[in-house]
Amino acid sequence: MRHRAYLIAIIIILFCFSLGILSTLVNRDRETTITPTPKPSPSPDQTRRTLLILGIDTFDEPAPTLMAIWYIIHRIPEGEVVLFGVPVDHRINASEAVTLRSIFSYTVEEGISEDFMDGLAKAVPHIRQNYWAIMDETFFEALVDFVGGVPVGDRNLSGMDVVSVQRLMKDNPDVLLQFQAEMLSSLRSPVLMFDPTTVQVGPLWDMIPENCVLSEEKAQLLFIARQVSPLTEDAIRIELMPSVGD
């Protein structure tokens, strides 16, 4: 069985988008220019663009375990990105032991369960996503290694290192979410300084959709990425939704 997957990877993707890394690498490696016809945003709000990220353990199991929920909100006029983390154990109804994790399901045939999407909309009524992505551990691990690991003190944790640490936190969602936030915070500076000319993105690109499922075609997401202005570290904020009882 594959190990656990988490949100850090998709955040790295977003950062790569904001810097134009993926479009630059794909165009260089494949010697083509992808220019899809832009599609209208499903949201009438033109001041922000929101990506919902769901991290699961594996696509190989009939009932994958939900490990992470993050919204990446690009606030266009302000030129900033907000990373908003939601606890996977958030209760849909305070009087019942029904959590977002317990009602989550995903299959290739049916996609994300309607019960989960309805429950998430109830839990976070002030946020609506334009796009979504689900990734598994294999993609996560590869992406962490892709940018050189997560800096912690005087060393960098590899993708496998981070997976191993987070695996221990599976049954403590509050601690897991806080750990994810700290990892994301430590990744802001190195990812923004990442040099796309030193690596090949082809192997990562080819892992879609087997290890990372997107709501949009890859070419469309690249088109969206090109519209994001380069960010500074100060323009990336991390916020966490309080757990019930906080």
Side-chain angles (χ1 to χ4, degrees):
M1 181 185 296
R2 295 174 181 170
H3 305 314
R4 305 297 186 253
Y6 304 96
L7 235 331
I8 296 176
I10 236 0
I11 304 301
I12 295 172
I13 287 180
L14 178 71
F15 288 158
C16 290
F17 280 171
S18 69
L19 298 175
I21 290 174
L22 285 182
S23 59
T24 299
L25 289 174
V26 170
N27 290 339
R28 184 196 68 196
D29 292 345
R30 302 198 173 193
E31 298 181 354
T32 59
T33 300
I34 302 173
T35 54
T37 302
K39 295 191 297 184
S41 166
S43 168
D45 186 355
Q46 300 301 312
T47 66
R48 63 188 59 197
R49 190 179 292 114
T50 302
L51 174 66
L52 168 65
I53 305 303
L54 302 175
I56 64 172
D57 54 355
T58 177
F59 285 108
D60 291 342
E61 297 294 329
T65 299
L66 181 66
M67 301 302 297
I69 307 170
W70 285 79
Y71 287 97
I72 299 104
I73 306 165
H74 175 212
R75 301 178 63 186
I76 299 172
E78 295 85 352
E80 68 176 13
V81 167
V82 177
L83 313 179
F84 186 79
V86 179
V88 296
D89 64 340
H90 179 83
R91 291 189 177 187
I92 303 305
N93 189 323
S95 64
E96 300 177 6
V98 178
T99 66
L100 291 172
R101 175 182 273 177
S102 70
I103 62 174
F104 172 80
S105 67
Y106 172 83
T107 63
V108 174
E109 296 76 17
E110 298 181 4
I112 305 172
S113 62
E114 290 187 11
D115 285 348
F116 172 78
M117 296 305 290
D118 291 344
L120 185 59
K122 180 179 179 180
V124 194
H126 60 291
I127 302 178
R128 287 292 181 271
Q129 72 275 359
N130 303 100
Y131 323 100
W132 56 261
I134 308 175
M135 66 169 19
D136 73 1
E137 172 274 330
T138 301
F139 199 60
F140 156 72
E141 184 175 320
L143 274 170
V144 170
D145 292 337
F146 178 73
V147 297
V150 178
V152 177
D154 58 356
R155 62 166 295 194
N156 278 8
L157 297 181
S158 69
M160 183 174 294
D161 291 334
V162 178
V163 166
S164 298
V165 173
Q166 293 189 121
R167 191 186 309 157
L168 299 174
M169 303 175 181
K170 173 188 174 183
D171 297 326
N172 195 334
D174 289 342
V175 175
L176 176 60
L177 182 63
Q178 183 62 47
F179 179 74
Q180 291 169 355
E182 292 174 358
M183 292 297 98
L184 293 176
S185 180
S186 69
L187 280 170
R188 286 181 298 181
S189 178
V191 170
L192 290 175
M193 295 187 296
F194 182 65
D195 183 0
T197 65
T198 63
V199 295
Q200 297 292 323
V201 76
L204 290 175
W205 198 245
D206 293 337
M207 294 172 73
I208 301 171
E210 181 178 357
N211 302 105
C212 181
V213 179
L214 307 172
S215 63
E216 307 293 316
E217 295 294 331
K218 291 187 287 186
Q220 177 66 16
L221 283 181
L222 288 177
F223 178 85
I224 295 167
R226 294 191 183 105
Q227 301 177 57
V228 182
S229 302
L231 300 171
T232 64
E233 186 173 346
D234 291 341
I236 302 170
R237 295 193 290 109
I238 299 174
E239 300 179 0
L240 301 181
M241 178 179 176
S243 297
V244 174
D246 285 355

